[in-house]
Amino acid sequence: MPHDRLSVLTALPAQGICPVFYHSDPETALNVIRACARGGAPVIEFTNRGDFAVDLFGEIARELSRTDPDIVLGIGSVLDAGTAAMFLNRAARFVVSPALVPEVAQVCNRRMVAYFPGCGSVTDISNAHALGCEIVKLFPGASVGGPDFVKAVLGPMPWTKIMPTGGVDPDPASIARWFGSGIVAAGMGSKLITDAAVRDGDWAGIEASVRAAVEAVRAFRAG
């Protein structure tokens, strides 16, 4: 069953943690994705890295549509409209960029697909809002001001929904700092899905890591 823009925009903040990763082997990628979903994070960003990434994504998305239709797989590191269109035609349920690219926003809007652009300034964020972006990706999160920047933005622009990537660690202290500043979700990469766990095929370990991070967000929100 297709996941529309509204359902994605609801599901991502609900889980709080968005796993971000890439692997060139489709079977390995599927194992990681399924481990993340079992851990409570079925909304996952697969990054556009390496040769034949579009074909790889299509193969993974097709398999998930058959076996795990509740998983919401999006694509990251998209910097032009043509690339966005290729991934949308392979069932990407959301698109993420390291920068704000108006042409990508337009392509996603025409397909009613959520677009999370990378923003590093208030001007970027305001321009993203003008393009219809509901959630903006603060990137690189720690380098552009961290939680203090989030608090400063939300003062005059309290409607802003921010998802930092880069600088948010999967531990309760880091999660408390960032979510306490007002973010709605956080992208997490290699500290959540470690290279060692992937190399060793430790899918249970990845599941446990994701579950701990998701539960830390839930515990903070409940407090």
Side-chain angles (χ1 to χ4, degrees):
M1 178 178 180
H3 299 276
D4 63 21
R5 177 159 61 181
L6 292 178
S7 67
V8 172
L9 291 171
T10 300
L12 177 58
Q15 72 183 41
I17 300 304
C18 183
V20 179
F21 87 105
Y22 169 82
H23 198 282
S24 60
D25 176 65
E27 194 59 38
T28 299
L30 284 165
N31 279 318
V32 172
I33 290 167
R34 288 166 175 152
C36 291
R38 291 193 302 271
V43 182
I44 300 157
E45 176 189 336
F46 192 76
T47 54
N48 175 31
R49 307 276 174 86
D51 293 334
F52 309 109
V54 170
D55 300 317
L56 173 63
F57 184 91
E59 181 178 351
I60 294 168
R62 186 186 298 273
E63 177 64 15
L64 290 173
S65 71
R66 288 194 294 260
T67 63
D68 301 85
D70 292 335
I71 290 176
V72 182
L73 190 65
I75 186 65
S77 302
V78 173
L79 283 167
D80 63 272
T83 299
M86 287 192 292
F87 281 102
L88 290 174
N89 286 335
R90 288 160 179 82
R93 301 309 183 195
F94 60 91
V95 176
V96 186
S97 296
L100 172 60
V101 186
E103 295 81 9
V104 173
Q106 292 168 356
V107 167
C108 290
N109 283 338
R110 288 183 189 278
R111 292 284 295 271
M112 301 300 289
V113 170
Y115 174 47
F116 308 137
C119 297
S121 69
V122 175
T123 298
D124 279 351
I125 293 170
S126 181
N127 288 338
H129 288 164
L131 291 166
C133 302
E134 294 282 343
I135 297 174
V136 298
K137 170 185 173 179
L138 183 64
F139 183 78
S143 301
V144 300
D148 288 341
F149 177 82
V150 176
K151 290 179 183 177
V153 171
L154 292 178
M157 302 167 67
W159 53 83
T160 306
K161 297 178 181 178
I162 296 174
M163 176 181 67
T165 298
V168 188
D169 296 331
D171 64 73
S174 181
I175 285 169
R177 282 195 304 274
W178 280 97
F179 280 85
S181 72
I183 65 171
V184 299
M188 294 187 185
S190 59
K191 291 185 178 180
L192 182 70
I193 305 167
T194 66
D195 292 340
V198 175
R199 182 185 63 246
D200 296 340
D202 184 9
W203 317 131
I206 293 173
E207 177 183 344
S209 176
V210 171
R211 179 176 291 108
V214 170
E215 290 180 352
V217 173
R218 185 177 296 121
F220 176 80
R221 287 171 168 170

